[in-house]
Amino acid sequence: MTGNGHSGDGRRPGDGVSDAVRTGWMVFVALAALTIVEYIVAVAVDANLPVIAIIAVAKAAFIVYYFMHVVRAWRREAGH
């Protein structure tokens, strides 16, 4: 246990869910919501290609950022 009262693994004392798991669920919900919006736009809007493209780019950004960990590729290693 570190001196700040945290266990060091992203969890708060007494909290059974880590920040990473919580963030993962938030990304999952965001992707699901964007998929639903994308479907509604595809069905309801006549000139839907620009809107669907924007939604697809947003979904791709979530996937690349969170699941593929691309941000880590540009971070400097500690001690290097």
Side-chain angles (χ1 to χ4, degrees):
M1 185 128 153
T2 59
N4 61 4
H6 289 83
S7 61
D9 62 357
R11 290 185 289 175
R12 292 179 207 94
D15 187 12
V17 179
S18 72
D19 290 336
V21 172
R22 187 174 293 117
T23 302
W25 277 108
M26 289 187 337
V27 169
F28 174 78
V29 168
L31 289 171
L34 285 172
T35 301
I36 292 168
V37 171
E38 189 175 32
Y39 175 77
I40 292 169
V41 168
V43 171
V45 179
D46 287 334
N48 56 17
L49 183 61
V51 178
I52 289 177
I54 291 169
I55 294 171
V57 168
K59 288 168 55 176
F62 273 119
I63 291 167
V64 167
Y65 179 78
Y66 185 74
F67 293 108
M68 298 178 73
H69 309 287
V70 171
V71 174
R72 291 184 192 172
W74 288 291
R75 286 188 190 158
R76 299 197 90 171
E77 294 279 335
H80 289 272

